[in-house]
Amino acid sequence: MRGRWHTLRLRNIILYISILTPLLALSQKSFSEKNPHVYEYRDYIENLSDTTLVTLNNEEFVKDNYDGGSQLTGTYYNNELVKISSWFGLSNGINTCDYYLKDGELFFVVEKLKIFKYDSETDQYDYTSYDGYADGWYLFDSGHLVDQISLGHWRFEDDTLDPEVILISEFKEYSKLLNKN
């Protein structure tokens, strides 16, 4: 009797797993499925016409010099800052970060890192092609990080770094610099 009970219990467990696993997988939504309004707003900002750009280069906005240079650009629409873009040329790749504003507040951040392909024969990076990538998408509401997703390895995989604190700090610093100019 004990063996039969064990077999029935095992069958029930297998049945539950076979039913629940697909349901759990189907219930998992991607960042874009959970937040379609974010991409609609980003597209709206990207397609604005009659915008004004303010650009700062290198030491105009950073203390450190980067191998490939650096640039900070503010996009203004009707005299209101709607987007901030940072670009850093690193020795091993390129890092970009786009901060989208809504009603003057940080709304959405897209960060990308592209790593140059390393040629072991020449012991140098090939600056014409990439072989590593990292992406992060960060959604904010009322000054708080409410959703995020990242792919690849980059700065926020270190649990001691808080993306909410760092991205808001960067946003405030960059906004101040751009609004001065």
Side-chain angles (χ1 to χ4, degrees):
M1 184 72 167
R2 187 172 199 278
R4 189 171 193 190
W5 170 249
H6 179 71
T7 303
L8 284 173
R9 201 163 137 203
L10 188 58
R11 281 187 191 161
N12 284 342
I13 290 172
I14 292 171
L15 179 64
Y16 288 131
I17 290 173
S18 64
I19 291 171
L20 290 177
T21 301
L23 288 176
L24 287 173
L26 289 173
S27 69
Q28 299 293 324
K29 289 186 174 183
S30 70
F31 185 87
S32 60
E33 289 173 325
K34 290 188 292 183
N35 304 297
H37 65 290
V38 170
Y39 296 97
E40 292 166 8
Y41 186 74
R42 181 198 63 189
D43 292 345
Y44 163 75
I45 296 297
E46 294 297 334
N47 292 311
L48 287 173
S49 58
D50 297 327
T51 58
T52 304
L53 300 179
V54 172
T55 301
L56 304 175
N57 291 300
N58 303 319
E59 53 277 337
E60 292 176 312
F61 81 100
V62 291
K63 296 173 190 132
D64 301 322
N65 286 322
Y66 290 86
D67 299 1
S70 56
Q71 190 172 69
L72 183 69
T73 302
T75 303
Y76 290 82
Y77 180 69
N78 291 336
N79 294 320
E80 181 182 347
L81 184 61
V82 294
K83 179 183 171 188
I84 299 170
S85 297
S86 66
W87 181 94
F88 297 95
L90 310 172
S91 58
N92 65 336
I94 295 172
N95 176 236
T96 61
C97 203
D98 293 320
Y99 307 79
Y100 294 88
L101 290 72
K102 195 176 212 180
D103 300 322
E105 295 292 322
L106 184 59
F107 174 63
F108 180 54
V109 178
V110 178
E111 184 173 35
K112 295 183 179 289
L113 173 68
K114 298 191 287 187
I115 304 291
F116 295 122
K117 186 174 182 178
Y118 184 75
D119 185 340
S120 57
E121 289 181 19
T122 62
D123 196 29
Q124 294 181 346
Y125 286 103
D126 176 357
Y127 298 113
T128 63
S129 63
Y130 304 99
D131 74 348
Y133 300 89
D135 295 310
W137 298 274
Y138 308 91
L139 178 62
F140 290 83
D141 186 18
S142 301
H144 297 284
L145 182 64
V146 294
D147 200 1
Q148 69 180 33
I149 187 167
S150 60
L151 307 168
H153 299 287
W154 190 223
R155 63 181 174 162
F156 296 128
E157 70 183 324
D158 178 349
D159 290 338
T160 63
L161 300 176
D162 184 344
E164 179 178 303
V165 171
I166 291 171
L167 292 172
I168 288 174
S169 173
E170 290 172 351
F171 160 71
K172 287 179 179 178
E173 179 184 340
Y174 294 163
S175 295
K176 220 184 287 185
L177 288 167
L178 288 164
N179 286 324
K180 272 198 239 179
N181 292 293

